[in-house]
Amino acid sequence: MKYLMNTFSTFAILAIFSLYASCTSEPPKEPTDLTQEVIIPKPVSVTASGGAFTLTETTKIYTQSDGEELDQIARHLSNYLSPATGFDLPVESAGSESDDGHILLQLNDSDTELGEEGYELNITEDALTLAAQQPAGLFRGLQTIRQLLPSGIEKDSLQEMSWKIATGTIRDYPMYEYRGAMLDVARHFFQVDDVKRYIDLIAYYKLNHLHLHLSDDQGWRIEIKSWPKLAEYGGSTQVGGEGGGHYTQEEYTDLVQYAQDRFITIVPEIDMPGHTNAALTSYPELNCSGKAAELYTGIEVGFSTLCTDSEVTYQFVDDVIGELATLTPGPYIHIGGDESHATPMEDYIPFVNRAQEIVLKHGKQVFGWDEIANAELVDNAVVQYWAEAENATKAIEQGGKVIMSPATKTYLDMQYDSTTELGLHWAAYIEVDSAYIWEPTKMVAGVDREHILGIEAPLWSETVTNMDEIEYMAFPRLIGIAEIAWTSPVDRQWEDYRTRLGQHAPYLKALEIDYYASDLVDWKSYE
Ligand code: TNX
């Protein structure tokens, strides 16, 4: 009897628990009210008209005006929607779209309010029309269409269900022009396919820059043809010792193209004059001692420096930046500049000044961590604030623009709380609410909207070793950061976001994102 009672109570507890764990709410009804749909980042305006548009096996995607770019965007849409629907969704030129239930993509120069990346989505029972001023706007709009369909749309196998979208109009454009994520591929190396998946995931939340931290003490990750040992030897290991690797120039070019096809700009970083141990192991002449350093697989920072008063150092910087600039169509080269504790300030400043000139000589814009504001910034320099408010102030006093990456809010390698197994906590524990509840214009006194180019969330990889771990640390915090970068502060409230994020859970599942299911969010489990 006692045994039976125990079994019974175990069952009861299990039943109650599983009811709780499955998060009780009803699956959504047929969509009829566009204003009730969850879209993250939250759009500028949504109005509903009470009906529904249905995607069917006869739906075609039309592009208004020929052009490879528009065609490519339409094919993206077709590729996004085909696997789960099983529909062909052929792409054709506009003109003959008399059939009901079509999709039309169009560019409209006159709607200047939409800017570079805005879009307007008009949904009637007969047609779904996506308009933008620029192709990038159409691409951002596609992400909204994906979120308006049932979450099954993200599965890669055929789903037997109806594909309806509520009717109405969405007008949408971003708050900040730079909305980024950073991946540290130096502490641990990540293969091309992992980076591509990260690109796909950030594109889904309308981010438009991926900063790749390509070199650090533990590894050099990009082939440089004029200094081949950097990648061959300097890239041969990583934190912990096993593995390592680098991208060949062909692989890097493939990544850049993959990102560009999704309207994402790659920002490559070569960190200097500190964080350079991998380079110092590869070429003795880069060390003031003339002796090569040893490969490093720990996680300390601030012990390495290029030899700032030797000319060969500047030849090295020129060659590396030259090759990288040639491979990079985007406007920026990031020169790092952080935590150069082994470089005396009187050597650091002239070094950063020369490195900046080299970036300009190769036709690129300077990007650097906030410490570079101690040097004399060149025109159009972009300074990435992560720790020192004073450096952000120095940057704007010199006419530079600021990217907001406060470590206490945007560092995706920070632990969620003291029980998180991965990650560090030197800046803060960052729960999902904390990563969302902050305002870029209120971080540093005097650094206002007009000084801020945008927001970026860095993921440092000392403790992060594979794609599942990347996803666990980045999601869901990166989604909130994406909303801060896209959505106006008046439309951002934690309680509202918390609810939407919970309702968005089926999409995270369908995308197979290995996210951290914070207790702060009521995660819905319907499809
Ligand atoms: C600080 S933030 C660093 C990185 C580390 C990170 C770990 C910055 C510019 N430098 O070198 O990886 O902390 O959280």
Side-chain angles (χ1 to χ4, degrees):
M1 187 62 185
K2 192 169 170 218
Y3 170 72
L4 259 183
M5 269 308 286
N6 274 346
T7 318
F8 176 74
S9 48
T10 313
F11 261 106
I13 289 165
L14 272 179
I16 292 165
F17 180 73
S18 57
L19 204 72
Y20 175 72
S22 71
C23 299
T24 45
S25 57
E26 293 288 302
K29 302 189 192 66
E30 296 263 285
T32 49
D33 183 353
L34 192 61
T35 62
Q36 295 305 303
E37 295 299 318
V38 170
I39 304 164
I40 309 180
K42 192 172 189 166
V44 172
S45 80
V46 181
T47 51
S49 57
F53 168 89
T54 311
L55 202 66
T56 70
E57 63 209 353
T58 61
T59 302
K60 291 182 179 177
I61 303 172
Y62 294 94
T63 56
Q64 197 186 61
S65 84
D66 295 331
E68 195 26 48
E69 208 163 25
L70 213 59
D71 235 51
Q72 208 195 336
I73 295 168
R75 282 198 305 275
H76 269 300
L77 182 59
S78 183
N79 293 337
Y80 284 140
L81 307 185
S82 283
T85 60
F87 305 153
D88 279 351
L89 302 161
V91 175
E92 294 183 9
S93 302
S96 57
E97 66 279 15
S98 56
D99 53 323
D100 283 351
H102 65 266
I103 298 175
L104 175 64
L105 305 187
Q106 58 184 197
L107 290 172
N108 175 2
D109 309 342
S110 58
D111 197 346
T112 53
E113 190 189 37
L114 297 179
E116 285 291 311
E117 292 181 282
Y119 63 92
E120 181 172 300
L121 186 58
N122 240 296
I123 308 154
T124 66
E125 290 180 7
D126 297 332
L128 192 153
T129 306
L130 177 62
Q133 223 202 337
Q134 296 294 332
L138 292 176
F139 186 80
R140 305 296 171 231
L142 299 189
Q143 312 312 317
T144 298
I145 295 174
R146 292 169 71 185
Q147 294 190 4
L148 292 174
L149 283 159
S151 61
I153 200 67
E154 299 306 335
K155 299 203 172 151
D156 47 22
S157 61
L158 189 64
Q159 308 294 304
E160 292 296 345
M161 56 195 292
S162 82
W163 303 102
K164 289 188 188 301
I165 300 183
T167 59
T169 301
I170 297 177
R171 269 183 80 76
D172 199 12
Y173 42 84
M175 187 74 196
Y176 289 99
E177 70 179 77
Y178 185 109
R179 304 177 309 282
M182 187 207 83
L183 191 59
D184 173 6
V185 297
R187 270 52 177 273
H188 280 100
F189 181 62
F190 302 104
Q191 302 293 337
V192 169
D193 282 349
D194 288 339
V195 181
K196 286 184 176 173
R197 174 159 164 89
Y198 206 54
I199 289 171
D200 283 332
L201 295 179
I202 72 174
Y204 186 59
Y205 297 102
K206 303 188 174 80
L207 296 181
N208 63 1
H209 287 80
L210 178 66
H211 166 184
L212 290 175
H213 184 73
L214 289 169
S215 69
D216 213 302
D217 292 319
Q218 299 87 344
W220 185 283
R221 307 302 182 201
I222 174 80
E223 175 190 17
I224 300 294
K225 294 202 193 277
S226 53
W227 296 72
K229 284 189 275 181
L230 291 169
E232 273 165 28
Y233 186 69
S236 65
T237 190
Q238 61 182 357
V239 168
E242 297 289 303
H246 67 271
Y247 308 119
T248 63
Q249 294 202 348
E250 291 68 32
E251 286 171 327
Y252 176 79
T253 300
D254 178 40
L255 273 179
V256 165
Q257 187 62 49
Y258 190 87
Q260 196 167 292
D261 288 347
R262 285 149 187 80
F263 297 89
I264 288 177
T265 302
I266 297 285
V267 180
E269 176 186 354
I270 298 296
D271 204 346
M272 51 189 147
H275 289 280
T276 41
N277 187 72
L280 298 170
T281 64
S282 310
Y283 290 96
E285 61 270 40
L286 297 177
N287 298 264
C288 282
S289 66
K291 284 214 301 268
E294 286 182 13
L295 291 171
Y296 181 68
T297 60
I299 65 166
E300 296 297 310
V301 296
F303 60 87
S304 56
T305 182
L306 292 171
C307 191
T308 56
D309 49 16
S310 137
E311 273 315 296
V312 71
T313 293
Y314 298 95
Q315 188 58 51
F316 161 81
V317 173
D318 195 358
D319 291 340
V320 168
I321 288 179
E323 288 193 36
L324 204 52
T326 308
L327 297 169
T328 305
Y332 306 114
I333 298 283
H334 200 305
I335 56 172
D338 58 314
E339 299 174 317
S340 245
H341 308 316
T343 325
M345 199 47 103
E346 64 268 28
D347 296 342
Y348 176 87
I349 290 171
F351 174 85
V352 171
N353 288 343
R354 271 184 86 171
Q356 290 186 92
E357 290 303 332
I358 292 170
V359 171
L360 294 189
K361 176 181 129 189
H362 292 290
K364 296 296 179 186
Q365 225 174 308
V366 168
F367 211 127
W369 296 107
D370 63 45
E371 290 94 325
I372 70 161
N374 289 300
E376 288 143 42
L377 294 180
V378 295
D379 285 351
N380 298 319
V382 177
V383 169
Q384 186 163 12
Y385 164 72
W386 66 282
E388 287 294 331
E390 198 189 324
N391 289 339
T393 307
K394 283 184 193 161
I396 64 163
E397 281 168 3
Q398 298 191 65
K401 288 267 194 250
V402 175
I403 295 289
M404 280 290 166
S405 299
T408 52
K409 294 290 177 186
T410 66
Y411 270 29
L412 302 173
D413 65 319
M414 290 299 118
Q415 294 171 324
Y416 290 96
D417 63 25
S418 61
T419 68
T420 312
E421 283 172 20
L422 299 170
L424 307 172
H425 57 257
W426 63 263
Y429 291 115
I430 308 179
E431 247 296 357
V432 179
D433 56 349
S434 176
Y436 185 78
I437 305 172
W438 64 282
E439 165 49 32
T441 57
K442 303 226 166 84
M443 298 309 284
V444 180
V447 177
D448 301 324
R449 177 67 192 88
E450 72 260 34
H451 308 118
I452 302 175
L453 189 63
I455 325 294
E456 184 180 291
L459 177 51
W460 299 102
S461 65
E462 285 95 334
T463 64
V464 174
T465 68
N466 60 41
M467 194 64 207
D468 284 351
E469 294 176 356
I470 289 176
E471 291 173 19
Y472 185 80
M473 296 309 279
F475 293 93
R477 291 182 291 198
L478 186 56
I479 305 175
I481 305 276
E483 180 152 299
I484 295 174
W486 181 280
T487 305
S488 155
V490 296
D491 289 326
R492 287 193 270 112
Q493 283 89 34
W494 163 247
E495 277 304 322
D496 163 67
Y497 172 71
R498 190 177 87 90
T499 307
R500 283 183 290 123
L501 184 59
Q503 290 169 342
H504 182 67
Y507 295 80
L508 298 175
K509 292 211 184 90
L511 288 162
E512 295 178 15
I513 298 178
D514 196 9
Y515 66 97
Y516 161 67
S518 166
D519 287 344
L520 301 178
V521 178
D522 180 15
W523 303 98
K524 303 299 180 198
S525 63
Y526 54 71
E527 295 285 295

